[in-house]
């Protein structure tokens, strides 16, 4: 047990159990719905570090917030530098959206180029604490590549289950990081179920974020950084894309932990964005009813999750915060890729920019005000999925190596 952790509490029946190795889900509710939250002793956190100490820390990674994490300070950690991603205030993008206080948190700048590194690094540290030689997960792609990378850095083996549709960039990462890659010929739901059976069968360390309560704790560090990078003056809104729902739950948990520890004075509203081609949680939220499975029909592969694995925590995050959810078309996602790239030099993958696409809709509807302080999280880097990037922007101008032809071709391109 870690000193700052009180225990694990079931989000369904609220039963509290000790945080012991091997305990992931609620013993009463089981893995269906019995997802746990890590409970902290906030006084212990404040005894470990103060806000002022953290602000002066020269550890420019998510481990500057060690006192808020469920790992032992002495545990072995991989050398990769995860977190402390840049928070930009891109003037061009703000202008094009008509917003005066818009920030972009670029989490595509992590070691394996997505926000998932924040969870995967916790997974391999916990696996190390539990002396597990092999870690495993199923993933739409980024959890996979980030687990493989962090496992490689930690000297652990990884077994990764991905749906056959995962983009080549992510598959290449897996192979480079030496994972055993199982490409499941089926949907993400099929992939998740097979991985759960195999993990049970072989006893591997389980990195499935909806099951393992420690991973959301890693993801929450993005919220801690946003607060600190804004001088502990929290934004009005934080907006990001949603698949399984673990990331948005992590963002909310991060702000709540800071609030309960007395480090911030208020909480932001949280907005979740999905693609209209796969939006079970947006539908459930807007129609105020239980979620139903949906087809996975979107180019944003990282959020093509028809059967979300952490729906309750995700919806709770949005509702408790007084936030909202919105679905955007794939065309709007491609447009957001162009807009972010061209106005601010930031390159996100489709799911990475879906938050920005949703922001545009919510501003147009007047739900988010033009002068409100908003942070949109770019959750993954665009180089992971080149095919869709090319779809967004088209092919370059082809010329023979002759100035005459170049001049002719440039005449056809008035923007030059
Ligand atoms: C995983 C992922 C998401 C969504 O996170 P969930 O926890 O599945 O909701 C969004 N964007 C990117 C790039 C991702 O990899
Ligand atoms: Zn329970």
């Amino acid at each position: 047990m870690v000193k700052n952790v009180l225990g694990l509490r079931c989000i369904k029946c609220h039963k509290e159990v000790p945080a012991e190795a091997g305990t992931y889900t609620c013993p009463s509710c089981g893995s269906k719905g019995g997802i746990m939250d890590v409970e902290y002793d906030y006084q212990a956190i404040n005894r470990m570090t103060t806000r002022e100490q953290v602000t002066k820390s020269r550890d420019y990674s998510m481990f500057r917030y060690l006192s808020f994490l469920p790992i032992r300070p002495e545990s072995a950690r991989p050398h990769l530098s995860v977190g402390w991603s840049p928070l930009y205030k891109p003037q061009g993008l703000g202008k094009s959206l008509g917003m005066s206080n818009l920030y972009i948190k670029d989490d595509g700048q992590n070691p394996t180029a997505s926000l998932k590194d924040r969870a995967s690094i916790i997974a391999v540290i916990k696996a190390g604490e539990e002396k597990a030689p092999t870690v495993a997960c199923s993933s739409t792609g980024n959890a996979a590549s980030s687990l493989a990378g962090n496992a490689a850095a930690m000297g652990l083996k990884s077994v990764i289950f991905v749906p056959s549709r995962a983009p080549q960039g992510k598959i290449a990462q897996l192979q480079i990081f030496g994972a055993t890659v199982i490409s499941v010929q089926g949907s993400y739901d099929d992939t998740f179920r097979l991985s759960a059976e195999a993990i049970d069968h072989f006893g591997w360390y389980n990195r499935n974020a909806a099951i393992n309560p420690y991973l959301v704790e890693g993801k929450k560090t993005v919220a801690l950084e946003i607060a600190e990078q804004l001088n502990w003056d929290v934004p009005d809104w934080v907006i990001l894309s949603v698949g399984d729902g673990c990331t948005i739950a992590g963002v909310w948990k991060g702000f709540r932990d800071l609030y309960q520890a007395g480090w911030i004075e208020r909480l932001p509203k949280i907005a979740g964005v999905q693609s209209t081609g796969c939006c079970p949680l947006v539908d459930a939220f807007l129609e105020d009813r239980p979620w139903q499975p949906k087809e996975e029909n979107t180019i944003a592969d990282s959020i093509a999750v028809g059967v979300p694995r952490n729906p309750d925590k995700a919806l709770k995050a949005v509702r408790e915060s007084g936030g909202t959810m919105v679905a955007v078309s794939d065309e709007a996602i491609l447009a957001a890729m162009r807009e972010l790239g061209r106005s601010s030099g930031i390159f996100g993958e489709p799911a990475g920019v879906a938050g920005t696409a949703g922001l545009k809709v919510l501003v147009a509807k007047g739900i988010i005000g033009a002068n409100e302080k908003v942070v949109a999280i770019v959750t993954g880097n665009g180089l992971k999925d080149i095919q869709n990037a090319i779809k967004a922007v088209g092919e370059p101008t082809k010329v023979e190596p002759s100035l005459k032809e170049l001049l002719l071709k440039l005449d056809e391109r008035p923007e030059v």
Side-chain angles (χ1 to χ4, degrees), residues 25-47:
T25 51
C26 173
S28 315
C29 303
S31 60
K32 276 252 181 291
I35 293 174
M36 313 295 274
D37 246 342
V38 179
E39 298 244 305
Y40 290 91
D41 175 346
Y42 295 102
Q43 284 173 351
I45 288 179
N46 278 314
R47 279 195 300 274

Side-chain angles (χ1 to χ4, degrees), residues 40-230:
Y40 290 91
D41 175 346
Y42 295 102
Q43 284 173 351
I45 288 179
N46 278 314
R47 279 195 300 274
M48 284 169 77
T49 38
T50 63
R51 197 177 86 168
E52 287 61 40
Q53 280 170 325
V54 164
T55 308
K56 284 193 201 122
S57 167
R58 298 186 61 179
D59 179 347
Y60 297 111
S61 80
M62 62 186 253
F63 294 105
R64 61 198 285 109
Y65 309 109
L66 196 56
S67 58
F68 282 88
L69 290 172
I71 55 173
R72 294 192 209 109
E74 69 277 13
S75 296
R77 306 203 295 248
H79 51 258
L80 294 175
S81 181
V82 175
W84 201 248
S85 61
L87 183 76
Y88 299 124
K89 192 173 188 186
Q91 302 296 342
L93 184 68
K95 227 182 246 163
S96 84
L97 291 178
M99 301 187 70
S100 56
N101 239 334
L102 172 62
Y103 295 81
I104 298 284
K105 177 77 169 160
D106 187 6
D107 248 54
Q109 298 298 318
N110 276 299
T112 77
S114 83
L115 187 147
K116 296 288 194 295
D117 282 339
R118 297 178 186 273
S120 293
I121 198 165
I122 297 286
V124 301
I125 294 167
K126 292 305 270 186
E129 284 181 358
E130 298 183 18
K131 304 205 168 21
T134 305
V135 292
C137 77
S138 74
S139 157
T140 52
N142 284 333
S145 53
S146 100
L147 182 63
N150 282 280
M154 187 79 175
L156 298 173
K157 290 201 181 95
S158 60
V159 182
I160 310 286
F161 296 77
V162 283
S164 50
R165 62 144 203 266
Q168 287 288 304
K170 299 179 187 180
I171 303 288
Q173 284 185 299
L174 290 174
Q175 304 278 54
I176 286 287
F177 296 140
T180 301
V181 185
I182 314 293
S183 170
V184 180
Q185 307 301 301
S187 69
Y188 175 53
D189 188 38
D190 299 326
T191 309
F192 187 93
R193 276 187 287 112
L194 178 60
S195 78
E197 281 173 35
I199 286 167
D200 232 27
H201 182 83
F202 290 101
W204 297 320
Y205 189 83
N206 189 343
R207 185 251 180 254
N208 284 331
I211 302 288
N212 186 324
Y214 300 112
L215 302 190
V216 165
E217 297 300 310
K219 290 185 167 187
K220 86 179 176 192
T221 57
V222 72
L224 309 189
E225 288 173 18
I226 288 170
E228 184 179 353
Q229 287 168 324
L230 292 172

Side-chain angles (χ1 to χ4, degrees), residues 9-15 25-30 33-36:
R9 186 181 297 277
C10 174
I11 64 163
K12 200 167 180 184
C13 73
H14 306 292
K15 183 187 179 127
T25 51
C26 173
S28 315
C29 303
I35 293 174
M36 313 295 274

